[in-house]
Amino acid sequence: MKKRWTLSLSVAAFIVVLSGCNTEMGSDEPASRDSEEEPTGIQLVEDTQIEASNPAASPRLATNRGETIVVGLQEPGGVFTPYFNTSGYDGNVQAVMFPPLIDIDENGEPFGRLAENWDVSDDELTFSFTLREGLTFDDGRPFTTEDVAFTITLLYDPSYPGSTDITETNLVGGLDYKDGDADEITGITIVDERTIEFELEEPNARALTMLGGQVLSKAYYGEEYEKGNLDYISDFHLRPVGAGPFKFETYNPGEEIRFSSNEHYYKGEPEADAFIYRTTEGDSQQFFQTGELDYGTFSADQDNFDMLQSLEFADINLYTSSNYSYIAFNHESDIFKDANVRKAFNYGFDRQTYVDIRFQGFAQVANVPVSPVSWAHTDEIEGFPYDPEEAERLLEEAGWVEGSDGIRERDGEKLRIYFFTTEASGASDVLVTRLQEDYKRIGIDLQIEQMDFNALLARVDNGDHDLVSFSTTMQPDPHIGIQAFHSAHTGNTFRGYENEEVDALIDAAVAESDLDRRAESYHDLYEALEEDPPMILLNYNKVLSATNARVQGFEPNGFRGISLSLENLQVVDVAE
């Protein structure tokens, strides 16, 4: 019996400070406003695709490149082994070489990629995957269920250092192998070279795509494997072997990662001869305009949209991402232990005006921690509309009364809050200005501390902050982001947040495979989060991308970016 499931990415998640994106909108100072000002009411720009008006205008630097396709990427961490990286940019590199057994399409629905099909038992405790016939790795060795079993075993190894928590799958015998003396995982059964079965102790909606994730070659990565010692894996990080449309060639830090077409790819060798991720620091707009990049993503704003429309050779794609931006509370702070105070901070910030000024219609206010492109989204939750009077009432109720200088205080302590951000940019200018102005009106003294990105993460890990802004990665499954609200979650962003009702609703949602019933559980969860907010939701993000018309096949989407496009890329003649 085949069921509908959703995908969880197998690469490690990463976070980006909202104010640290160097391609963000310019730093024009927003006009001041009085307390009676209404939101600007800017219309949301709809997702759209625009074809190049004159492909022949493509710069010669691009057309002379022939069958080589170049895409911009921020510098990765150099860990190109799936499941072991901490940088999401490494995940972009891995996606070129390591397609999963089960992937997700542009509608958020799973489909078999390296797996020809899958079956789930009626009790949802047994998963069976059948591999496509004749699969090989890019070094020519066979790709079999032995490799699948090896990969899952590796993730259960007691010395596994990565962030993928495979124990979520509830695989029978998994914890015995991880924490005990077992020399194999009893819940894994290799039926034959193409068929493998997994037995679970209890249902889990994410098991399909976690067990059906990216696969490491046992012959290549497992030759030195001994339980309890995975240190040797680091020797392979810069010489990966996968089964994707392109295979790894070279990595020159600060310059590029180069791949060549894989003649062993199951769908056939791609038409493009080579694919390059260019990591050189510089202006991505200029690189695209001059033809140094064939594809790039840009901050979604009117200036960039207009710039791309002026380039006759640009195919433009504006689409909504599955990620979102937010401000996290430090729940270990005495100030934020009171849910009413956190509600006041939500009501007291005019998010709509911030989003209008900051994005000019290229983003929308977020009211639930799931993007509108997801099946788990709902418009029925009001969120926290701007209501400074309600914010003041809640602060008064929590004991924070206005002092002689207009700043609230309780038991002799001023309501002084420290907001962490990276060095000044257009994004931080707008966000910080709006926050300071709105919070000052309700008696909150917001202090800004700027630092570099690594220092910020270190201080957040130490719990030194009061407020800090982040953006999630793409969220193919809502559980990826929502699990951070669970009291058992080990991450630091929402450390100290505990709510038994929220825990129960998260557990119920991830235990259910039917999307409609899962969605109902998430909608109940959103209502509970309104009563005990773990953060201030900011906005759902749009992605603005452009392709040089000489390249066909790029079809990015809000769940998987460009990874599904790579096998379809081809270079066409754009000469007049």
Side-chain angles (χ1 to χ4, degrees):
M1 177 181 177
K2 192 172 292 186
K3 298 180 181 289
R4 298 174 69 212
W5 294 73
T6 50
L7 177 72
S8 60
L9 284 181
S10 54
V11 300
F14 69 101
I15 51 180
V16 179
V17 176
L18 180 64
S19 57
C21 300
N22 60 12
T23 58
E24 295 288 2
M25 183 179 174
S27 57
D28 294 339
E29 288 295 328
S32 62
R33 59 187 172 86
D34 57 38
S35 60
E36 300 300 320
E37 183 180 8
E38 295 295 325
T40 58
I42 293 174
Q43 292 294 313
L44 180 67
V45 178
E46 298 295 332
D47 293 358
T48 187
Q49 293 181 346
I50 302 174
E51 292 186 359
S53 60
N54 182 18
S58 178
R60 184 167 297 181
L61 187 61
T63 56
N64 287 347
R65 199 159 44 239
E67 295 291 327
T68 296
I69 297 171
V70 182
V71 173
L73 182 72
Q74 292 197 38
E75 185 70 27
V79 179
F80 301 151
T81 308
Y83 307 109
F84 287 81
N85 55 297
T86 57
S87 164
Y89 301 116
D90 285 330
N92 291 96
V93 176
Q94 294 164 9
V96 178
M97 304 171 287
F98 294 92
L101 300 185
I102 307 297
D103 216 323
I104 190 170
D105 64 19
E106 67 279 3
N107 299 314
E109 296 286 345
F111 69 95
R113 191 141 179 217
L114 296 186
E116 184 175 77
N117 56 61
W118 71 90
D119 288 287
V120 184
S121 62
D122 289 340
D123 62 6
E124 301 180 7
L125 294 178
T126 303
F127 288 72
S128 177
F129 297 91
T130 301
L131 304 183
R132 296 185 184 277
E133 190 172 358
L135 290 178
T136 61
F137 288 99
D138 60 38
D139 63 358
R141 296 190 231 196
F143 182 122
T144 73
T145 50
E146 287 281 354
D147 302 296
V148 179
F150 164 71
T151 302
I152 300 303
T153 301
L154 209 66
L155 296 177
Y156 268 106
D157 191 274
S159 65
Y160 169 66
S163 60
T164 298
D165 184 6
I166 196 66
T167 63
E168 287 185 42
T169 62
N170 304 314
L171 189 59
V172 170
L175 292 180
D176 291 335
Y177 187 82
K178 182 178 180 65
D179 300 328
D181 297 327
D183 56 8
E184 64 179 12
I185 299 174
T186 56
I188 302 177
T189 301
I190 296 176
V191 179
D192 55 44
E193 288 189 348
R194 293 179 56 207
T195 308
I196 187 169
E197 290 183 354
F198 297 97
E199 183 181 355
L200 309 186
E201 294 180 348
E202 58 185 59
N204 185 282
R206 300 225 297 151
L208 175 71
T209 49
M210 294 191 77
L211 297 173
Q214 296 166 302
V215 176
L216 301 177
S217 165
K218 182 178 181 180
Y220 185 72
Y221 290 96
E223 186 175 0
E224 302 176 43
Y225 176 61
E226 294 180 1
K227 181 182 177 183
N229 181 18
L230 290 180
D231 291 343
Y232 76 93
I233 288 288
S234 62
D235 295 337
F236 295 90
H237 290 339
L238 291 176
R239 46 191 182 102
V241 169
F246 293 90
K247 58 185 177 182
F248 179 80
E249 291 292 340
T250 60
Y251 170 43
N252 296 314
E255 296 182 18
E256 66 178 26
I257 307 107
R258 182 177 291 266
F259 310 85
S260 61
S261 60
N262 177 16
E263 67 273 24
H264 301 294
Y265 188 53
Y266 80 97
K267 281 191 172 182
E269 186 173 1
E271 292 192 30
D273 292 338
F275 178 82
I276 294 174
Y277 268 133
R278 176 173 175 165
T279 62
T280 309
E281 288 189 11
D283 188 338
S284 60
Q285 297 177 10
Q286 180 180 347
F287 290 155
F288 184 77
Q289 289 173 314
T290 59
E292 294 172 78
L293 296 180
D294 289 306
Y295 176 93
T297 57
F298 310 87
S299 177
D301 60 48
Q302 192 64 52
D303 288 343
N304 283 335
F305 192 72
D306 292 342
M307 178 273 294
L308 293 173
Q309 284 189 298
S310 73
L311 302 178
E312 297 177 316
F313 62 86
D315 289 330
I316 303 170
N317 194 339
L318 177 70
Y319 60 97
T320 302
S321 177
S322 57
N323 77 340
Y324 59 89
S325 299
Y326 63 94
I327 296 174
F329 296 110
N330 181 354
H331 293 274
E332 294 184 332
S333 165
D334 288 337
I335 294 174
F336 294 124
K337 291 185 183 300
D338 189 334
N340 278 344
V341 172
R342 284 179 267 125
K343 286 182 181 180
F345 273 72
N346 272 279
Y347 282 120
F349 180 41
D350 188 349
R351 298 178 300 146
Q352 185 65 63
T353 296
Y354 158 68
V355 169
D356 285 347
I357 293 172
R358 166 68 187 87
F359 296 99
Q360 296 295 307
F362 286 82
Q364 65 188 98
V365 170
N367 289 325
V368 299
V370 173
S371 167
V373 298
S374 172
W375 50 265
H377 181 81
T378 179
D379 291 322
E380 297 177 1
I381 301 297
E382 183 182 25
F384 293 93
Y386 183 48
D387 191 341
E389 290 78 15
E390 177 66 6
E392 290 180 313
R393 187 191 69 79
L394 289 167
L395 290 173
E396 292 276 354
E397 189 175 292
W400 292 99
V401 297
E402 187 174 339
S404 57
D405 58 357
I407 302 302
R408 294 182 179 274
E409 54 187 48
R410 184 179 66 182
D411 299 330
E413 177 189 3
K414 293 288 186 181
L415 188 49
R416 181 170 292 115
I417 301 298
Y418 290 88
F419 177 69
F420 284 5
T421 181
T422 55
E423 279 90 6
S425 68
S428 65
D429 284 348
V430 177
L431 180 60
V432 165
T433 299
R434 308 320 302 180
L435 281 171
Q436 284 187 314
E437 287 188 6
D438 286 346
Y439 285 160
K440 183 178 181 179
R441 286 186 180 89
I442 59 174
I444 298 170
D445 179 17
L446 186 71
Q447 297 291 314
I448 309 303
E449 290 199 23
Q450 296 179 342
M451 61 203 76
D452 67 46
F453 183 63
N454 291 330
L456 182 143
L457 291 182
R459 293 191 64 182
V460 170
D461 285 344
N462 289 333
D464 296 336
H465 66 297
D466 290 318
L467 299 175
V468 62
S469 58
F470 289 126
S471 181
T472 71
T473 57
M474 289 188 291
Q475 307 282 286
D477 188 289
H479 185 75
I480 295 173
I482 285 171
Q483 65 182 335
F485 310 145
H486 200 291
S487 60
H489 189 68
T490 57
N492 290 325
T493 305
F494 298 101
R495 185 175 56 192
Y497 180 79
E498 295 186 8
N499 184 307
E500 292 183 359
E501 180 186 5
V502 168
D503 287 352
L505 288 167
I506 293 174
D507 291 340
V510 78
E512 175 59 64
S513 63
D514 180 84
L515 293 190
D516 292 334
R517 290 196 291 271
R518 279 192 81 191
E520 290 177 6
S521 294
Y522 282 121
H523 296 176
D524 292 339
L525 172 64
Y526 306 150
E527 293 179 359
L529 293 175
E530 279 201 300
E531 294 303 313
D532 189 15
M535 60 184 171
I536 302 168
L537 282 162
L538 292 176
N539 54 274
Y540 304 122
N541 302 303
K542 286 185 181 290
V543 179
L544 178 62
S545 69
T547 306
N548 188 305
R550 82 180 196 94
V551 177
Q552 293 184 355
F554 276 115
E555 296 182 357
N557 67 69
F559 291 104
R560 297 290 280 125
I562 65 170
S563 64
L564 296 180
S565 301
L566 300 179
E567 62 190 34
N568 300 317
L569 299 183
Q570 57 179 312
V571 176
V572 298
D573 184 5
V574 294
E576 289 182 309

